[in-house]
C-alpha cells in the first residue's frame, strides 16, 4: 500500500488499532547518486549533512525522534523504554509499550518487520536478513514483547519490502542455517538449474513461517522486491554502494 506522509512517498501494510508504521522509499530526499535521494543510513558512504537533512524530513512525519539502531545482523533485542540507552544500540530489533516511542530499523534488501498485538499495547520492529532470521531475531522480538505485555494477544506482523525470491541467490551455508533449525524450511529454497550448490531463497516466506510458528496469527507480506523495483527502493545486492530505507513504527500517543 502506497501513501504520502509529510510529503514523503512511503509504503505500509494493513491498518491496526493503536499502531502507526510505514517504510520509506528512496524518493523525497536530497541525496545524489548512488544514494539518491532519501538515504537514512549514516554508514552507507553518503555525505553526513545529506543524511542529517533526510532524517530531518522523516522526523517531520513522526511524533518523536526515532530510536536508531547500529544493526549488526544479529538476533538481540533492546527495550526502547529503558532508561539511559546508548546512542544507536548495537542490536537488530527493539520493542516498546510506551505511546509515541518511535522504533526504527534500516534496510536495503533485508526485511523490515513490525509486530504488534491486537489491542495496540506493545510494539516491536526488527531488521531481518538471513543471519538474523535464522538466528531467531523475530522470535526474540516476540518474546521481548510478551515479557513487556503478558496479557497481550492477537499477534500480527507486517513484513515490508525486501529482496524477492527471484533475486536472492544463496549458497549451502544459508540453506543449512535454516534447515538445521527446521527441515520444513527447505521448501523456501529452489535449486538454481545448472548451478551446483546455489539456491533461490524466499526470505519473506521464511519470515512468514517463523512468525507463524512463534505464535503470530496474522502475517501480511508486502510482496515488494527491493532488487526488482530500482526506481522505488535501495538495494545493496543490486547496486553495492547505495542508501538505506527505514521502517518507522509507534503506538498512538496518549
Amino acid at each position: 500500500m502506497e501513501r504520502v506522509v509529510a510529503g514523503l512517498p512511503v509504503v505500509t501494510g494493513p491498518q491496526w488499532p493503536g499502531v502507526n508504521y510505514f517504510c520509506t522509499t528512496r524518493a523525497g530526499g536530497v541525496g545524489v547518486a548512488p544514494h539518491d535521494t532519501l538515504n537514512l543510513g549514516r554508514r552507507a558512504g553518503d555525505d553526513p549533512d545529506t543524511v542529517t537533512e533526510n532524517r530531518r524530513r522523516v522526523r517531520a512525519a513522526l511524533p518523536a525522534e526515532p530510536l536508531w539502531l547500529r544493526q549488526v545482523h544479529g538476533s538481540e533485542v533492546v527495550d526502547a523504554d529503558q532508561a539511559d540507552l546508548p546512542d544507536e544500540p548495537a542490536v537488530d530489533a527493539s520493542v516498546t509499550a510506551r505511546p509515541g516511542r518511535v522504533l526504527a530499523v534500516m534496510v536495503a534488501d533485508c526485511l523490515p518487520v513490525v509486530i504488534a498485538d491486537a489491542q495496540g499495547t506493545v510494539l516491536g520492529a526488527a531488521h531481518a536478513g538471513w543471519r538474523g532470521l535464522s538466528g531467531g531475531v523475530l522470535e526474540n522480538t516476540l518474546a521481548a514483547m510478551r515479557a513487556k505485555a503478558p496479557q497481550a494477544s492477537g499477534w500480527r506482523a507486517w513484513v515490508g519490502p525486501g529482496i524477492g525470491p527471484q533475486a536472492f541467490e544463496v549458497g549451502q551455508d544459508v540453506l543449512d542455517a535454516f534447515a538445521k533449525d527446521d527441515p520444513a524450511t527447505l521448501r523456501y529454497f529452489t535449486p538454481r538449474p545448472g548451478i551446483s550448490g546455489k539456491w533461490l531463497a524466499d526470505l519473506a516466506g521464511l519470515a512468514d513461517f517463523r512468525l507463524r510458528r512463534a505464535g503470530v496469527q496474522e502475517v501480511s507480506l508486502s510482496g515488494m522486491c527491493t532488487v526488482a523495483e530500482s526506481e522505488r527502493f535501495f538495494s545493496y545486492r543490486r547496486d553495492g554502494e547505495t542508501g538505506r530505507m527505514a521502517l518507522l513504527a509507534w503506538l498512538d500517543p496518549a
Side-chain angles (χ1 to χ4, degrees):
M1 182 187 309
E2 300 179 58
R3 293 174 52 202
V4 176
V5 178
L8 301 176
V10 304
V11 295
T12 186
Q15 291 187 329
W16 298 338
V19 178
N20 303 273
Y21 67 94
F22 61 82
C23 184
T24 62
T25 67
R26 67 185 301 166
V30 296
V32 299
H35 302 94
D36 48 325
T37 61
L38 192 69
N39 169 43
L40 300 170
R42 288 179 172 167
R43 297 174 181 84
D46 201 357
D47 176 67
D49 291 339
T50 298
V51 178
T52 296
E53 170 59 20
N54 286 339
R55 289 193 176 192
R56 185 197 67 77
R57 295 185 179 204
V58 170
R59 172 66 180 84
L62 307 171
E65 184 67 25
L67 174 64
W68 299 101
L69 306 177
R70 185 167 64 83
Q71 296 160 193
V72 294
H73 295 274
S75 58
E76 292 189 22
V77 183
V78 68
D79 183 345
D81 301 336
Q82 68 186 44
D84 302 321
L85 280 174
D87 183 42
E88 297 194 357
V91 299
D92 286 82
S94 57
V95 298
T96 182
R98 194 171 86 206
R101 180 56 156 145
V102 182
L103 308 181
V105 294
M106 286 184 293
V107 289
D109 287 334
C110 295
L111 299 171
V113 181
V114 59
I115 307 172
D117 67 307
Q119 293 74 37
T121 58
V122 65
L123 184 68
H127 162 254
W130 75 263
R131 289 181 178 84
L133 196 56
S134 64
V137 68
L138 298 183
E139 292 91 339
N140 292 350
T141 302
L142 186 60
M145 295 169 66
R146 284 173 163 149
K148 284 185 72 68
Q151 304 306 315
S153 62
W155 299 105
R156 51 188 59 173
W158 180 68
V159 179
I163 190 168
Q166 302 305 313
F168 191 31
E169 181 182 287
V170 301
Q172 186 74 45
D173 56 335
V174 179
L175 184 144
D176 288 346
F178 288 95
K180 71 180 181 182
D181 173 70
D182 192 332
T185 58
L186 288 172
R187 68 178 181 268
Y188 298 101
F189 294 84
T190 303
R192 290 297 303 267
I195 306 179
S196 178
K198 294 293 183 181
W199 289 264
L200 290 174
D202 182 356
L203 197 64
L206 288 161
D208 184 20
F209 174 86
R210 296 188 71 127
L211 285 163
R212 293 183 188 277
R213 189 183 65 176
V216 178
Q217 294 92 349
E218 178 186 324
V219 181
S220 300
L221 308 181
S222 78
M224 297 176 178
C225 175
T226 48
V227 176
E229 298 191 50
S230 59
E231 296 299 315
R232 180 180 290 176
F233 300 121
F234 295 116
S235 167
Y236 183 81
R237 175 68 68 103
R238 183 188 64 231
D239 298 329
E241 186 177 0
T242 191
R244 300 293 186 271
M245 292 91 64
L247 168 72
L248 292 309
W250 65 98
L251 300 173
D252 278 343

